[in-house]
Each structure stands twice: as structure tokens, then as C-alpha cells.
């Protein structure tokens, strides 16, 4: 594999061996530590697809999203956008073609601005069209996301949570991007509103042929939306494949644990995404061997000392000794 070329030039986004480290100082005289927030991630997204990235808080999914948006340079590896190394693509071009939708519509919208000026902001920044054309585009996009025109000069504080997230989506779409990076776009909303926003995102994707990278801690949220599913744990991509396949036949014990916590009606097993089998480890002091071993119901002696290899087959990718052993035995 040549690290300077994409494996799949048709993919809208491709990550090769992507990693991001942070140096963390812990007090004046304490030794600095390296936090490996994302490690060796390989994945790709085709046009019109939804790639869901799931995992608990601290697994590296938001760091991954920031790298895909060009907001954070990778420490290792490469990102390709439509076959071009991301660092070679003009920043304005990335900002036009890849847009974020963030988790919290309360803090991501300026409370002192009207909807008209919030949604028009990207058009103003990129100097697109006359003021009349911008107003027309804002009205068009408001209609598309289900915001009545009478709200044009309202302020965010006058809107419901669902309406605010519709404003955030309108602002993301006003420049006609190709890709949306949605970072937990429904987790700050009431359950009843979440479904409306997910349906809206689905409809917009079909209508505008958008590509989504959809970040969530909750597998239930992405089940009906994702074409590809990437499961992250402590910065590592531990399972990846077609969403239908991973949901039907999860292989990694962590994916099974996440799915159990979503699908069970037993409240003692915890909220979706807050798996109950032990605590999430300290990312600054990760466990030896397989980083999931302290919480794994299928842990074997080698798991405590040796990082598992990766099995990549027609079902996708899994990083676990259960499968690399099987592969070795079968060979
Ligand atoms: Fe569990 Fe071992 Fe697989 Fe890690 S490598 S997930 S500890 S079985």
C-alpha cells in the first residue's frame, strides 16, 4: 500500500492509518503524558452513504470528526477527500463541501442573531450572491428543513430544541455541501424530537444525495440510518463493516455489549451506550494487551498482554484475539 495515494479514489472520504495524539501536562513537576485519542483508523465513505461511528464518550469519535472537518491535523496517517490528500485541498473548499452539525443547538447558535443572519452566515463569509439572492436561499433552505418563514427574524431563544437543531442543519446545508459530519446531532433533544430530526436528516440525504459521517454514543440512534458501522473503543477501531451485518452478527465482545445494552428491556443493564460491565478506562493509562480486556466477558490469558491483530474479511474488520486465533487456526 502506498501511503501517499488513496486505496479507493472513488470514496468521498478515506482514512488511512489515521491517528491523533495529545500531550497532556499533569501539574508543574509531573511528567507529561501522551494521550492517543485516535490510533490507526482505516475506513472510507462512498458518496450517498451514511457511515456511523459509535462508541462511549472518550473513545475518540469527536477527535476523528474534527480531523475529517480539517479542524485538527492528524498526528499520523492520511485523510483523502475525493481522492485528494485533505491537506492539499483549499480550506475554503473544504468548508464549502464538508459541513458540521453539532450536538448542542443551544450553544452552537449565536443568541444575539436572528435566524436569517445565522443561516446566511456561511453565504456572507464566502461572499456568495447578492443580498436578495442570499435571502431567497435562506428562505428556500428554511422550507426544506421544516422551519416556517415567519421565524426568519426570530432569535434562538424563541425556538424549541428541535427547531434550533433545524436551524443548525439549515446553516450546514445553505452552501450546498456534499458531506455532513453530524456529531451527536440528536443527543441534546427530547426522545420525541430525536426521531423527527433523524427522519429529516434521512429525507435530506436522499433529496440532496448527501454523504453523512454520523457520530453517536447510541447504537439505537444509528440502526436505521447507517450503511456502514464503525465501532471505536479507546481510540481504536475495533469493529467495522456493513451496518446490517454488524447489527445481525456482531463479532467484537464490545459491540455485543453495546448492542445488549440497547436491545434489552431490563433497566438494570443500563442506558444505551452506558454499558455496565466495568468502567471506561483512563485513556492516559490504557490497559495492557487488548485495551478492552478489563471489561471483556470473553477475556483469555493472551488478551492481558498482547494487542490483538486485525481480521479483515468479507464481513468487515474486527480487532480481537477470538478471531485472529480462529484465522490462524484455520490457515
Ligand atoms: Fe475480549 Fe480478548 Fe477479544 Fe479483547 S481480544 S475483546 S479481551 S476476547
Amino acid at each position: 500500500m502506498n501511503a501517499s495515494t488513496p486505496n479507493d479514489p472513488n470514496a468521498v472520504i478515506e482514512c488511512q492509518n489515521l491517528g491523533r495524539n495529545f500531550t497532556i501536562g499533569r501539574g508543574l513537576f509531573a511528567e507529561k503524558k501522551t494521550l492517543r485519542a485516535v490510533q490507526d483508523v482505516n475506513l472510507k465513505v462512498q458518496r450517498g452513504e451514511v457511515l456511523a461511528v459509535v462508541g462511549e464518550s472518550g473513545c475518540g469519535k469527536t477527535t476523528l470528526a474534527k480531523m475529517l472537518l480539517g479542524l485538527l491535523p492528524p498526528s499520523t496517517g492520511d485523510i483523502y477527500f475525493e481522492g485528494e490528500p485533505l491537506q492539499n485541498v483549499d480550506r475554503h473548499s473544504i468548508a464549502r463541501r464538508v459541513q458540521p452539525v453539532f450536538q448542542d443547538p443551544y450553544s452552537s447558535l449565536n443568541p444575539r442573531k436572528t435566524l436569517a443572519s445565522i443561516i446566511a452566515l456561511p453565504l456572507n463569509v464566502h461572499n456568495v450572491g447578492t443580498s436578495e439572492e442570499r435571502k431567497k436561499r435562506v428562505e428556500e433552505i428554511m422550507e426544506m428543513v421544516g422551519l416556517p418563514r415567519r421565524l426568519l427574524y426570530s432569535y434562538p431563544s424563541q425556538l424549541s430544541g428541535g427547531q434550533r437543531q433545524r436551524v443548525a442543519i439549515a446553516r450546514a446545508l445553505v452552501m450546498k455541501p456534499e458531506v455532513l459530519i453530524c456529531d451527536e446531532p440528536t443527543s441534546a433533544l427530547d426522545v420525541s424530537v430525536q426521531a423527527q430530526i433523524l427522519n429529516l436528516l434521512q429525507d435530506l440525504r436522499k433529496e440532496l444525495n448527501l454523504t453523512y459521517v454520523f457520530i453517536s454514543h447510541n447504537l439505537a440512534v444509528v440502526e436505521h440510518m447507517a450503511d456502514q458501522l464503525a465501532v471505536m473503543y479507546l481510540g481504536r477501531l475495533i469493529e467495522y463493516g456493513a451496518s446490517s451485518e454488524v447489527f445481525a452478527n456482531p463479532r467484537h465482545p464490545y459491540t455485543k455489549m453495546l448492542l445488549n445494552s440497547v436491545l434489552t428491556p431490563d433497566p438494570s443493564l443500563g442506558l444505551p451506550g452506558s454499558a455496565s460491565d466495568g468502567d471506561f478506562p483512563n485513556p492516559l493509562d490504557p490497559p495492557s494487551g487488548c485495551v478492552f480486556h478489563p471489561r471483556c466477558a470473553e477475556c483469555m490469558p493472551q488478551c492481558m498482554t498482547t494487542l490483538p491483530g486485525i481480521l479483515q474479511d468479507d464481513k468487515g474488520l474486527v480487532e480481537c484475539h477470538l478471531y485472529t486465533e480462529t484465522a490462524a487456526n484455520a490457515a
Side-chain angles (χ1 to χ4, degrees), residues 14 32 37 52-53 61-62 68 72 81 92 121 129 137 146 156 219 226 231 233 276 291 326:
E14 180 177 336
K32 289 199 180 344
V53 182
K61 54 194 192 304
T62 294
L68 297 181
L72 203 56
F81 184 72
H92 287 285
L121 182 67
R137 176 70 185 144
L219 274 170
V231 183
Y233 188 79
S276 56
V291 289
T326 307

Side-chain angles (χ1 to χ4, degrees), residues 289-315:
C290 168
V291 289
F292 184 58
H293 87 254
R295 303 171 75 187
C296 181
E298 299 176 67
C299 182
M300 302 174 286
Q302 68 266 39
C303 302
M304 294 179 233
T305 54
T306 314
L307 185 69
I310 292 172
L311 171 69
Q312 203 154 7
D313 60 13
D314 55 353
K315 292 180 185 160

Side-chain angles (χ1 to χ4, degrees), residues 218-285:
N218 188 343
L219 274 170
V221 166
V222 302
E223 182 174 4
H224 299 294
M225 195 157 191
D227 299 297
Q228 300 289 322
L229 184 63
V231 183
M232 291 187 69
Y233 188 79
L234 222 59
R236 305 192 68 82
L237 182 63
I238 51 97
E239 184 154 12
Y240 173 47
S243 174
S244 53
E245 179 65 37
V246 178
F247 271 95
N249 300 301
R251 295 195 284 183
H252 197 283
Y254 177 61
T255 312
K256 292 179 195 169
M257 193 169 94
L258 283 182
L259 274 171
N260 283 341
S261 69
V262 169
L263 298 176
T264 180
D266 179 355
S268 69
L269 289 176
L271 292 169
S274 65
S276 56
D277 301 46
D279 292 331
F280 194 77
N282 178 359
L284 276 172
D285 193 13

